[in-house]
Amino acid sequence: MNKVLGIVAEYNPFHNGHLYHINESKKITGSTYTVAIMSGNFTQRGDTTIINKWSRAEIALKNGIDLVIELPVLYAISSAENFADGAIKILNSLNIVNYISFGAEIADIERLNTIAEILNNEPKKYKYFLVKELQKGLSYPKAREQALLSYLNNDKNYLNIISSPNNILGIEYLKALKKYNSNIEPIAIPRLEKKHNDLNYSNNIASSTTIRNIIRSQKFDIAQKLMPKFSFFNILKNIEIGNIISDLCVFEHLIIYKLRTMSTYEISLLPDVTEGLEFLIKKAANSCNNIKEFINIVKSKRYTSTRINRILLYALLNVYKSDIDLSKKVQPYIRVIGFNKNGKSLISQISKSNPDLNIITSVKKFVENNNNSYLKIMLDKDIGATDVYTIGYNMNSVSNLDFTNKIITI
């Protein structure tokens, strides 16, 4: 019987560590097919993808993925919890996925599951510790980390697990699997590269953050060693045609303009804006014209740079708290970005196993026939995000690519 592997990814950009993760996951699970739930043009840490979703889908299909499904932007740029929740909702709804594999700094499913169980059930003792840590003025992620350690009697076996970004995402996947009573089996693969934001590299392995910095510095001889051949040359092609977006700073004047023209009340409606933060955001927007300076003004022990980056992205893309709330209530559509021969077979299996699913292979047809107002809002945000993204191109800066770009087929 064929087995199906699910992977949630940004592939920003696709590198040797990603290729290792796919191959190792297939080997461990014995899977015949692989589905990737991939972020669109913006990322969970409040940044842009360096190349667009169609280019990244093509690279993924050339390197072992069979079917690429877009993670709607309302999940893709959200907190780790909502990011993972949306991805698992999609994988679970396909009714054909046997495994989900994720990279982790410490690939110990048993310990990750212990933490996921605590966070899923939120025992009274844990809640007590969490409130206590928040009262110290810590950011929510840091307060949660400290509360978990206190609840686990400061067991050193859990110290590094709770503080590592990929472990945190892995825990959120496990939480979501429990929430939806999913039969999908989780697999954790140890990361070959160093920490998520480590700027060093060794041999042919480096983090996505490192590789993006290398590309920005035009050190292409180094970048070529760290990426599969097709991924590297796809990047070069995008540079040649002016379709590279280095980071969110490309849009900084648009963002500052937007914040300056918003009232403090409107800013308060953005996700992650709490406790009067809108006043500080407004003050910062009125006193600077670049993102780095803005973040230095706003960030604090309580408000991390990543959280502020996401807030800036919400402002740029017109995403409000009501939109994130909507994303938590709705069963998302299945937006197909690309597939190969195996992937085409998978789409057929998915249609048969869950005939009620909204599978989008043509945005135009879906827009014309869809009667679900929630899905309309969700798709409008995806379309709008692509239209904003292409403003950053040096050439061929056109809108409506979600309608005009064809599905990538290999």
Side-chain angles (χ1 to χ4, degrees), residues 217-284:
S217 303
Q218 299 186 2
K219 297 176 181 175
F220 299 122
D221 55 329
I222 298 173
Q224 187 169 8
K225 297 173 186 176
L226 304 172
M227 306 165 70
K229 185 176 179 180
F230 186 81
S231 180
F232 174 71
F233 284 108
N234 193 290
I235 293 274
L236 290 188
K237 175 186 168 185
N238 275 283
I239 291 172
E240 185 181 339
I241 62 175
N243 288 4
I244 285 282
I245 306 289
S246 58
D247 56 32
L248 196 62
C249 291
V250 169
F251 302 102
E252 62 188 1
H253 289 156
L254 279 176
I255 294 168
I256 298 294
Y257 162 77
K258 184 74 187 295
L259 291 171
R260 285 189 180 186
T261 56
M262 292 172 76
S263 67
T264 50
Y265 173 70
E266 288 170 325
I267 294 172
S268 75
L269 299 178
L270 296 173
D272 286 347
V273 176
T274 57
E275 302 166 323
L277 183 59
E278 62 270 22
F279 295 101
L280 184 54
I281 288 172
K282 185 69 173 175
K283 183 180 178 182

Side-chain angles (χ1 to χ4, degrees), residues 4-6 35 91-92 94-100 183-185:
V4 181
L5 169 69
V35 180
L91 279 177
N92 204 44
L94 302 181
N95 272 350
I96 62 164
V97 178
N98 303 100
Y99 303 97
I100 177 174
N183 292 322
I184 297 173
E185 183 181 340

